[in-house]
Amino acid sequence: MLSTMRRTLGQLLLLIGLVAAATIPAQAATSSGGINPCVVLAICVEIDAPGSTGSPGGGGGSSGGGGGGTEAQCAWHGVQHPCWDPDLGWFDTTSGCYFTPEVPQPDPGSTQWEGKYGSGTVYLTTCYDAANNPTAGTRWLSKPPNVTAAPPTPGTVAQMAIKQLRFARPIEHIDPKNGQMLVGVKAWLWYETSPATHDVTVGPQSTTVSLNGVTVTATATLNSVVWDLGYAIAGVEQTVTCHGPGVPYAAGLEQNPPADACLASFDKLSPSTGAPPSTGPKPTASPSPGGGFWPVATEIWDVTTVDDNNPTVKPWPDLQYKVAGAPVQFQVNELQVLN
């Protein structure tokens, strides 16, 4: 229940800057700190990087890397709580509540203003009773809550910046347009992108968070795109790795493919009863007659952070985000030679 409550509060903050495309955010862990495995189909993992010492999803208030330090702890009825939490905000030891401003602030007619719109601020709250059971709510305050905790570490601010990154699930296409291909003939693999969705489909993209004199920038760069072709040979799943979204197919391009085109050969006849994968995302359409393979593309993003005040020390370990699309059906036939 507590974990769900914290995620809900965090997701309210993550609505800032949401783009028009269907995107998914990097998602934070519970108040013990750390970046957890993210939303479904967006899996973040730590990658080795010089100077990184933390671990995504680590607990105990550790900032998680690069000399970020340790968050101050606040006591409430015998239990230690981080004095600052990237999702919940500041902890007030006089009330046992976390406070973070609601973003955006409620409409003028909202009852959350308690009839005092035009002054003060509405805060999201997570308050603990004497048994340390949490309750989420809102509260209007005429001035910021009475908190005396030290400022958050660069590691915590880095987590906040990472959470504001957005990733779009690839909408895949395989040409030729009729969804059929011959064994051994090159197929064009690509996914949709546009100027409006470029940052979340191709990148790079950056977000910067400043808090109490600490400023951290998180940057996501598309590393590669791995296409699982939907079948195995000798027990080995067949994949193709490309370094971008690919190029939409147009008649004649196969004569001189652009350098950034993503091409693959299907070296096996597709089965007449081919079924979509039993795990992972569900296909965008129902199976059509003729079976087939069900390829799927996965974007792999490298995520790094920089502390503007101390750029030589990593505030958080480097991460990789893997964002998968939904399988698309594709038939591979054999050339029939007539006698």
Side-chain angles (χ1 to χ4, degrees):
M1 177 179 177
L2 174 57
S3 177
T4 301
M5 197 176 303
R6 284 168 171 162
R7 288 195 190 97
T8 301
L9 294 176
Q11 288 166 351
L12 289 172
L13 298 178
L14 291 172
L15 293 175
I16 309 170
L18 189 63
V19 298
T23 58
I24 48 182
Q27 195 170 40
T30 58
S31 67
S32 60
I35 300 295
N36 254 356
C38 311
V39 293
V40 175
L41 306 185
I43 303 171
C44 55
V45 295
E46 182 181 354
I47 58 178
D48 294 335
S52 296
T53 59
S55 174
S62 171
S63 69
T70 301
E71 298 293 354
Q73 298 290 305
C74 290
W76 176 255
H77 289 279
V79 174
Q80 297 292 317
H81 298 272
C83 295
W84 167 263
D85 181 270
D87 286 335
L88 308 183
W90 296 101
F91 190 80
D92 175 20
T93 55
T94 61
S95 63
C97 296
Y98 279 104
F99 290 87
T100 188
E102 185 170 349
V103 179
Q105 287 284 280
D107 294 332
S110 172
T111 57
Q112 292 175 295
W113 287 105
E114 302 177 12
K116 301 168 185 174
Y117 176 77
S119 64
T121 304
V122 174
Y123 291 84
L124 296 172
T125 62
T126 301
C127 297
Y128 295 85
D129 60 20
N132 276 284
N133 297 311
T135 301
T138 63
R139 188 178 303 180
W140 173 87
L141 295 177
S142 60
K143 59 182 180 180
N146 180 29
V147 292
T148 59
T153 67
T156 298
V157 181
Q159 294 177 63
M160 298 172 68
I162 291 170
K163 288 194 305 174
Q164 292 186 16
L165 296 169
R166 296 291 187 273
F167 303 96
R169 293 171 179 156
I171 301 174
E172 306 105 319
H173 296 270
I174 302 180
D175 280 299
K177 295 292 186 183
N178 61 6
Q180 295 184 346
M181 177 56 67
L182 298 177
V183 171
V185 176
K186 291 288 186 181
W188 288 62
L189 314 177
W190 57 282
Y191 64 84
E192 295 179 13
T193 185
S194 69
T197 63
H198 186 274
D199 287 355
V200 295
T201 57
V202 181
Q205 56 169 305
S206 295
T207 59
T208 299
V209 171
S210 296
L211 189 65
N212 284 36
V214 178
T215 300
V216 174
T217 298
T219 300
T221 304
L222 184 63
N223 175 301
S224 57
V225 180
V226 178
W227 287 80
D228 186 328
L229 300 183
Y231 68 96
I233 294 180
V236 178
E237 192 70 16
Q238 301 300 291
T239 62
V240 170
T241 299
C242 297
H243 296 284
V247 176
Y249 173 77
L253 281 180
E254 65 272 14
Q255 304 301 323
N256 187 22
D260 50 352
C262 183
L263 306 175
S265 291
F266 288 78
D267 298 324
K268 184 177 180 180
L269 181 68
S270 58
S272 60
T273 57
S278 59
T279 59
K282 292 184 178 180
T284 55
S286 299
S288 60
F293 298 131
W294 293 82
V296 62
T298 299
E299 305 165 356
I300 299 179
W301 296 77
D302 292 336
V303 177
T304 59
T305 54
V306 174
D307 178 359
D308 288 8
N309 299 322
N310 192 3
T312 62
V313 177
K314 286 184 178 295
W316 195 258
D318 292 346
L319 303 172
Q320 253 187 6
Y321 277 72
K322 299 180 179 181
V323 185
V328 290
Q329 190 178 27
F330 191 72
Q331 293 179 7
V332 181
N333 300 316
E334 287 182 319
L335 180 62
Q336 300 296 318
V337 178
L338 299 178
N339 293 327

